[in-house]
Amino acid sequence: NAGVTQTPKFRILKIGQSMTLQCTQDMNHNYMYWYRQDPGMGLKLIYYSVGAGITDKGEVPNGYNVSRSTTEDFPLRLELAAPSQTSVYFCASSYSMGVSYSNQPQHFGDGTRLSIL
Amino acid sequence: QQPVQSPQAVILREGEDAVINCSSSKALYSVHWYRQKHGEAPVFLMILLKGGEQKGHDKISASFNEKKQQSSLYLTASQLSYSGTYFCGTGSGGGYQKVTFGIGTKLQVIP
């Protein structure tokens, strides 16, 4: 099993460009998440999904969009890149049979380091 | 609301013990602990659920005091491999329970 795979690993964007960060998992997890990590700030939840076709906002969703058409894939879209979106982005997944996911461990991908200049 | 971790940073010599605390202003359902090495992804250590349990494996253990809304991570006889940033994540009750992470505690173990 590959676990959670994120691509690309690194990217430099110009202000105003758009891009999609890819995330795929092969563990058949129903929950998936996108976090951003800024130095000294911990992990901030951008969006999460409880299953195919269902997504919801996290703490810092502005400037981002997501979709979940399959169990495996959860791409994150930046439409108009801004310098404030320079960060390390982590995708994670977990499995829960109930409505709560906070009682299950999250498995993280290796991250995408994004710089916007 | 983001949980508060203390200390923010600690330096240990090999073999010494450390305690990392995580506290929340909200009633907690769960506490997660993760370790992240520089440039890598966070790695799951353990989850503690409401009920005041204590968990551990090898020389790393944790406790959860739901009345005080606190958790502590105990690292005993530290090894060089313990170096990294430790994050706690807290889950609160109601609906799709989100996990909110603290800003982390940077632990460095030196020979």
Side-chain angles (χ1 to χ4, degrees):
Chain A
N1 282 355
V4 179
T5 302
Q6 291 183 236
T7 56
K9 294 194 185 307
F10 305 93
R11 184 74 184 266
I12 299 174
L13 279 184
K14 293 184 180 178
I15 295 171
Q17 287 185 321
S18 61
M19 78 163 292
T20 299
L21 281 65
Q22 301 291 345
C23 175
T24 187
Q25 52 93 8
D26 62 359
M27 297 174 283
N28 203 32
H29 285 171
N30 49 352
Y31 285 83
M32 294 187 75
Y33 324 89
W34 275 105
Y35 293 93
R36 60 176 288 172
Q37 186 176 39
D38 302 310
M41 299 297 289
L43 294 157
K44 297 288 189 182
L45 183 65
I46 304 171
Y47 272 95
Y48 68 103
S49 169
V50 303
I54 306 171
T55 62
D56 204 353
K57 296 177 181 178
E59 301 170 73
V60 290
N62 291 346
Y64 306 95
N65 280 302
V66 294
S67 59
R68 182 103 181 264
S69 56
T70 67
T71 299
E72 295 78 20
D73 300 309
F74 190 39
L76 178 72
R77 178 104 179 137
L78 283 72
E79 291 294 349
L80 288 170
S84 62
Q85 294 177 306
T86 294
S87 189
V88 180
Y89 292 84
F90 287 101
C91 177
S93 70
S94 67
Y95 180 77
S96 176
M97 293 184 66
V99 295
S100 166
Y101 72 79
S102 70
N103 60 351
Q104 299 297 323
Q106 296 184 24
H107 301 261
F108 286 82
D110 289 336
T112 294
R113 282 147 186 82
L114 180 64
S115 293
I116 297 161
L117 306 174
Chain B
Q1 189 157 355
Q2 193 172 36
V4 177
Q5 290 186 233
S6 62
Q8 290 188 3
V10 59
I11 300 175
L12 297 176
R13 292 200 176 275
E14 270 187 295
E16 291 182 337
D17 302 339
V19 179
I20 299 171
N21 300 302
C22 175
S23 63
S24 174
S25 59
K26 297 173 73 172
L28 298 179
Y29 172 77
S30 64
V31 178
H32 297 219
W33 285 100
Y34 294 80
R35 177 170 63 207
Q36 183 180 31
K37 293 187 181 286
H38 184 69
E40 299 181 7
V43 173
F44 170 74
L45 293 176
M46 63 190 79
I47 285 179
L48 299 100
L49 300 180
K50 184 177 173 180
E53 63 180 286
Q54 185 147 353
K55 271 193 174 181
H57 56 86
D58 199 9
K59 298 188 177 82
I60 300 177
S61 62
S63 63
F64 179 19
N65 186 325
E66 64 183 269
K67 284 186 180 177
K68 292 186 176 180
Q69 294 162 194
Q70 290 178 350
S71 177
S72 295
L73 185 72
Y74 306 95
L75 300 101
T76 58
S78 58
Q79 306 166 15
L80 295 176
S81 62
Y82 287 3
S83 293
T85 300
Y86 290 78
F87 292 98
C88 73
T90 53
S92 302
Y96 292 120
Q97 300 170 5
K98 297 182 180 65
V99 176
T100 305
F101 288 91
I103 64 172
T105 294
K106 191 170 183 179
L107 181 84
Q108 185 181 1
V109 181
I110 58 176

